[in-house]
Structures are given as C-alpha cells and as structure tokens.
C-alpha cells in the first residue's frame, strides 16, 4: 500500500504534463520555424538547416515543457506531501485543497523551479536529438537501397528514441539530483542543518536549496546515481516517444524527420 502512495497525483500530473508538452511541441514547431524563415534565417532552399533548425527545435521543446511542467507542479506538490505524510489527505482533490488552505495557491508552485531545472534539459535534449537523428536516418535510407522510407518508421523511431533517451538522461541528471534534494528538504522540519545543507541558509526556498546543494555536491556529486537512472529514464523516454509517434501515425501525421 505504501508503495502506491501518491500514485493518483503521479498519473494525473504526468498525463496532463505529457499531453501539454507533446501537444504544444507539435504545434509550436511550425510556428517557430515559420518565424525564423520570415526573419531571414532560411537556407538556400527556403528551409531551416544546421544550428538554426536545432535552435528552433530547442525553443519549441523548451516552451512546451515550461507549459507542461507548470501544469505538473501542483500534482507534484500533492504527491510529495502524500508520500511524506501518509495521513495528509484521502486523494488528489483533498491534498490540493489542503495545500491551498495551508500555503496558499503559491504553495502549489514552490517546487516549479526545481522541476524546470530537471525537465527543460530533459525534454529539449530528448526531443531535439530524436528529431535530428530521425531526420539523418531517413535521409540515409535511400542511399542504403531503401526507397520506401515509411516502412522503416518503427525501427527509425526506436533507434532515434534510444539515442535521445541516453543523452537526455545525462543532460537532466544534475537537475534530477537537485530536485531530489528539494524533495528531501520538503519532508524535513525545515531546519537549515538537515540533510547536510549549510547552516548559512536559515529558511531556504527551492532555488536556494538547489544553489546550496550544487555548491556542496560539486560537479561529480550532481551525477551521483546516474547508473541506476539510465534504465529508468531510457525506458520512460523511449516509451513516450513511441507513443508520441504512434499517435501521430494514427492521425496521418508524418514521422519526425521524414518530411
């Protein structure tokens, strides 16, 4: 029973976050691309190429993640409180209402900076690498004697998603470590000395906790536990990108990089 504590907010929060992130990413890609082309950043064929195309993908994915993570933040706040205090609430709605009553609406978003530090690099790298690798692979298929590139949609998606997952795990590991520190701090009594943090910060917020933790852990400490996270993150990212691509296929939308 304890292992399932917070499952409701987790499922609800990440369904909302995922829908917003992938939906807005797909919608923002042509908007950002059109903006860049209109302002003279297109190549000889009137399309974005090289670093400019990568930048467009990064901007689209970062904006989409910002919107998704903002929607996720209240559910994460409820999850953390329900896990750390099993008798805090009977469900999601009860937990959210109690958080608002105790801390105000702002209490639902106090963990947002920590979430963004993890999620924006995670999404920017996974989506941008996925799109870029997919494009390169589809362009290489005719040279390998495969004319019907649509027949290779699934293997290309798997390969590109796996590469994106590995790199996004590395890029987001420091943010994940810092988010863990913020979550750990939120379950304590709030004393500055708890959890090995410096006595200098008496009432730290999420940003102060992250900065303090980054100083004390150092570069190598921020990547602590990355071996264990590889399996976890790769499984999630590959699954997400497969679902994303299958939904696009269902609605007749070309695969990423195939057009």
């Amino acid at each position: 029973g304890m292992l399932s504590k917070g499952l409701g907010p987790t499922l609800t929060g990440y369904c909302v976050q995922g829908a917003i992130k992938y939906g807005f990413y797909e919608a923002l890609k042509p908007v950002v691309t059109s903006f860049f082309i209109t302002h003279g950043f297109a190549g000889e064929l009137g399309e974005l190429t090289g670093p400019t195309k990568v930048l467009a993908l990064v901007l689209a994915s970062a904006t989409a993640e910002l919107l998704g993570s903002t929607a996720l933040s209240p559910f994460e706040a409820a999850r953390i409180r329900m896990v750390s205090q099993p008798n805090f609430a009977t469900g999601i709605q009860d937990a959210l209402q109690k958080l608002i009553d105790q801390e105000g609406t702002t209490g639902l978003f106090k963990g947002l900076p920590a979430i963004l530090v993890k999620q924006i690099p995670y999404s920017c790298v996974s989506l941008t690498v996925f799109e870029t690798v997919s494009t390169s692979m589809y362009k290489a298929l005719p040279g390998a004697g495969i004319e019907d590139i649509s027949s290779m949609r699934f293997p290309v998606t798997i390969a590109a998603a796996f590469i994106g997952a590995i790199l996004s795990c590395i890029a987001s590991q420091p943010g994940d470590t810092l988010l863990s520190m913020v979550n750990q701090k939120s379950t304590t009594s709030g004393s500055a000395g708890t959890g090995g943090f410096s006595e200098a910060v008496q009432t730290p917020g999420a940003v102060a906790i992250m900065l303090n933790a980054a100083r004390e852990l150092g570069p190598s400490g921020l990547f602590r536990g990355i071996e264990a996270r590889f399996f976890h993150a790769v499984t999630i990212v590959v699954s997400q990108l497969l679902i994303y691509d299958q939904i696009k296929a269902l609605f007749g939308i070309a695969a990423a990089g195939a057009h």
Side-chain angles (χ1 to χ4, degrees):
M2 280 304 299
L3 291 175
S4 65
K5 273 291 181 182
L7 181 61
T10 298
L11 289 176
T12 305
Y14 278 96
C15 279
V16 171
Q17 185 257 7
I20 291 174
K21 178 174 79 172
Y22 286 99
F24 271 97
Y25 173 66
E26 194 64 25
L28 286 170
K29 279 192 297 182
V31 173
V32 177
T33 299
S34 177
F35 176 83
F36 276 25
I37 292 174
T38 302
H39 287 76
F41 290 96
E44 294 180 358
L45 299 178
E47 299 178 348
L48 297 183
T49 58
T52 308
K53 183 176 182 179
V54 172
L55 178 59
L57 295 174
V58 169
L59 289 175
S61 57
T63 304
E65 183 56 66
L66 174 62
L67 297 172
S69 289
T70 301
L72 170 67
S73 185
F75 297 101
E76 274 290 276
R79 179 188 68 80
I80 292 167
R81 188 62 69 88
M82 289 174 69
V83 171
S84 62
Q85 299 176 20
N87 298 321
F88 177 71
T90 57
I92 304 173
Q93 187 174 352
D94 186 32
L96 292 173
Q97 188 58 56
K98 285 185 176 180
L99 283 170
I100 293 173
D101 293 342
Q102 293 179 9
E103 303 178 25
T105 306
T106 56
L108 300 177
F109 298 96
K110 65 182 181 181
L112 182 58
I115 293 173
L116 292 177
V117 166
K118 170 191 172 183
Q119 288 295 124
I120 287 184
Y122 173 85
S123 290
C124 285
V125 173
S126 64
L127 291 171
T128 301
V129 170
F130 174 68
E131 193 102 19
T132 304
V133 172
S134 295
T135 300
S136 299
M137 293 181 73
Y138 281 120
K139 286 182 177 179
L141 289 178
I146 302 173
E147 296 299 330
D148 183 14
I149 64 173
S150 62
S151 66
M152 297 296 293
R153 181 166 186 159
F154 185 76
V156 167
T157 299
I158 285 284
F162 185 78
I163 295 171
I166 292 291
L167 295 179
S168 68
C169 180
I170 296 171
S172 63
Q173 177 63 22
D176 189 65
T177 300
L178 296 177
L179 178 59
S180 297
M181 291 294 185
V182 173
N183 290 347
Q184 178 190 53
K185 189 70 173 179
S186 72
T187 65
T188 67
S189 62
S191 62
T194 303
F197 293 104
S198 171
E199 297 283 341
V201 183
Q202 297 299 318
T203 56
V207 175
I209 293 173
M210 288 190 292
L211 291 174
N212 205 29
R215 284 195 298 267
E216 295 192 10
L217 289 173
S220 60
L222 291 175
F223 286 91
R224 185 184 302 161
I226 192 170
E227 298 86 355
R229 187 165 174 258
F230 266 127
F231 178 77
H232 162 77
V234 168
T235 302
I236 290 176
V237 174
V238 172
S239 299
Q240 286 176 334
L241 291 173
L242 276 174
I243 294 170
Y244 165 59
D245 186 67
Q246 289 303 306
I247 290 175
K248 288 176 67 174
L250 182 65
F251 286 93
I253 302 172
H259 54 84

